[in-house]
């Protein structure tokens, strides 16, 4: 015999005892009378004692059944309450959401939105994990992630929020001192800072607006795991680097950095809201998704209006 209690049998017995008949209990539970009868018979066989005295006109608890009825009815009531709570939780935004986001993007664009989110959804709390290393959503138990990437086929569900361009950038001081590259091949004569956390070596793949392609393996005096590690050296006028749009835009607006090779494009990625599955997604995750998608799709970090105002093909000497 299974060591697991017969919860179904106990619950159905408790409901029959409460309603006073198999038919009334079956109606209350939305099942057939035969289902209830089988469950009670199975429970009697398991426990080794009769729970009801049955006649064609009357159903009465035995003394043995009466000793068990109250506890069995509580099992049914507790199960109903548990389902009600779970149903309310799944349909109402509340609870903890474990969210992963890139370090730089999360610090600059996600964290500042959280006060408004918490005012809108006071019953939701967030564990925000900021790291440039890509989190394993399923293995590490994340509810969702914001990712900036060129998404590959996977079992994850990804919703595109906005495209994200990448720019090769330098400070005006650097361009004034070392000149502006006119072709990706020119980067071989420049200090180009790259990221450690990319596969083995960082490779920049360019496509010109006329269709020409060019691949460059940048070299420089510094590699770092995040753009925060690269920016001080670039802002000091000592090197060139590649930045995603969300990071470059504030520096374009402040004229601290300029895009170079404006007629060439690096592969465009996207900002995605990613979840392990879309099936039966809790209301708390849906609320978080809708909030961030609406806010981030507004694209205040987009660089188009900034770069279109530049004249980057002018060579500085």
């Amino acid at each position: 015999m299974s060591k697991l209690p017969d919860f179904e049998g106990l619950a159905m017995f408790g409901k029959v005892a409460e309603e006073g008949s198999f038919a009334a209990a079956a109606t209350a539970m939305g099942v057939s009378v035969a289902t209830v009868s089988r469950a009670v018979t199975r429970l009697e066989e398991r426990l080794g004692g009769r729970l009801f005295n049955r006649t064609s006109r009357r159903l009465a608890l035995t003394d043995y059944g009466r000793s068990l009825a109250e506890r069995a009815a509580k099992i049914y009531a507790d199960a109903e309450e548990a389902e009600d709570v779970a149903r309310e939780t799944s349909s109402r935004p509340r609870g903890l959401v474990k969210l992963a986001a890139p370090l730089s993007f999360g610090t600059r664009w996600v964290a500042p939105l959280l006060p408004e989110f918490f005012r809108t959804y006071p019953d939701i709390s967030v564990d925000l994990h900021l790291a440039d290393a890509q989190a394993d959503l399923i293995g590490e138990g994340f509810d969702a992630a914001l990712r900036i990437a060129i998404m590959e086929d996977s079992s994850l569900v990804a919703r595109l929020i906005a495209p994200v361009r990448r720019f090769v950038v330098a400070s005006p001081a650097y361009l004034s001192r070392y000149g502006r590259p006119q072709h990706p091949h020119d980067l071989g004569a420049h200090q180009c800072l790259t990221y450690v956390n990319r596969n083995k070596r960082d490779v920049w793949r360019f496509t010109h607006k006329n269709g020409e392609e060019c691949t460059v393996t940048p070299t420089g005096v510094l590699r770092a795991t995040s753009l925060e590690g690269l920016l001080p050296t670039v802002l000091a006028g000592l090197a060139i680097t590649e930045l995603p749009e969300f990071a470059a835009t504030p520096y374009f607006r402040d004229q601290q950095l300029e895009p170079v090779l404006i007629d060439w494009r690096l592969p465009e990625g996207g900002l995605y809201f990613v979840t392990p599955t879309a099936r039966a997604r809790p209301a708390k995750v849906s609320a978080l998704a809708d909030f961030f998608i609406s806010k981030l799709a507004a694209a205040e970090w987009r660089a188009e209006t900034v770069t279109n105002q530049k004249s980057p093909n002018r060579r500085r000497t």
Side-chain angles (χ1 to χ4, degrees):
M1 183 174 66
S2 171
K3 293 183 179 180
L4 182 68
D6 185 356
F7 292 107
E8 181 186 61
L10 287 165
M12 288 191 173
F13 160 64
K15 195 64 175 173
V16 172
E18 180 183 303
E19 296 289 339
S21 79
F22 281 81
T27 300
M29 292 184 288
V31 298
S32 68
V33 174
T35 297
V36 179
S37 180
R38 283 195 299 268
V40 172
T41 299
R42 183 181 68 241
L43 183 64
E44 288 177 326
E45 292 174 353
R46 179 187 177 97
L47 299 178
R50 290 183 62 81
L51 299 170
F52 293 105
N53 288 317
R54 303 174 178 86
T55 68
S56 59
R57 294 184 177 181
R58 191 166 179 270
L59 180 71
L61 285 165
T62 64
D63 289 340
Y64 179 63
R66 193 173 294 107
S67 68
L68 182 63
E70 185 177 345
R71 292 180 181 179
K74 188 174 186 307
I75 289 174
Y76 186 88
D78 287 347
E80 275 193 318
E81 182 181 358
E83 284 197 353
D84 288 344
V85 171
R87 195 175 294 111
E88 181 184 4
T89 300
S90 66
S91 61
R92 197 174 139 209
R94 62 186 302 171
L96 174 67
V97 178
K98 189 176 178 182
L99 176 69
L103 175 61
S104 301
F105 185 80
T107 301
R108 176 64 180 83
W109 299 103
V110 177
L113 291 174
L114 287 175
E116 181 180 351
F117 177 79
F118 293 135
R119 285 193 291 267
T120 306
Y121 298 101
D123 294 330
I124 298 179
S125 57
V126 176
D127 275 0
L128 180 61
H129 294 248
L130 300 179
D132 285 328
Q134 186 167 287
D136 177 359
L137 264 65
I138 297 174
E140 298 179 51
F142 283 95
D143 296 296
L146 288 161
R147 282 189 180 168
I148 297 174
I150 300 173
M151 292 297 295
E152 300 176 353
D153 291 339
S154 73
S155 60
L156 302 176
V157 178
R159 183 173 172 184
L160 177 65
I161 299 175
V164 179
R165 292 179 60 189
R166 295 160 59 202
F167 295 94
V168 176
V169 303
S171 71
Y174 181 92
L175 297 174
S176 177
R177 182 174 182 181
Y178 299 104
R180 182 183 296 273
Q182 301 298 308
H183 190 281
H185 289 314
D186 296 342
L187 294 173
H190 291 266
Q191 291 286 339
C192 297
L193 310 188
T194 59
Y195 298 94
V196 174
N197 57 352
R198 292 187 177 162
N199 295 334
K200 294 185 178 179
R201 296 294 294 175
D202 206 356
V203 176
W204 295 353
R205 305 180 191 280
F206 294 90
T207 302
H208 193 270
K209 60 184 180 182
N210 66 11
E212 180 186 354
E213 296 183 352
C214 182
T215 300
V216 174
T217 301
T219 58
V221 294
L222 175 66
R223 299 178 72 210
T225 57
S226 69
L227 61 88
E228 284 82 5
L230 303 178
L231 274 170
T233 301
V234 177
L235 291 169
L238 300 178
I240 290 173
T241 195
E242 174 257 305
L243 294 180
E245 190 169 7
F246 71 85
T249 298
Y251 294 101
F252 291 163
R253 289 181 177 142
D254 294 343
Q255 299 184 351
Q256 293 179 276
L257 295 176
E258 295 183 20
V260 299
L261 300 171
I262 196 69
D263 291 334
W264 295 81
R265 282 187 174 244
L266 292 163
E268 186 176 278
L271 171 63
Y272 294 88
F273 191 91
V274 183
T275 54
T277 178
R279 190 184 312 169
R281 190 164 69 182
K284 61 184 180 180
V285 177
S286 294
L288 191 77
D290 292 343
F291 178 85
F292 278 112
I293 288 169
S294 67
K295 296 297 181 182
L296 296 174
E300 294 179 4
W301 41 270
R302 302 303 301 277
E304 298 290 347
T305 57
V306 179
T307 56
N308 287 342
Q309 296 170 2
K310 300 287 182 185
S311 299
N313 292 323
R314 184 183 68 222
R315 188 179 185 89
R316 297 177 184 239
T317 56

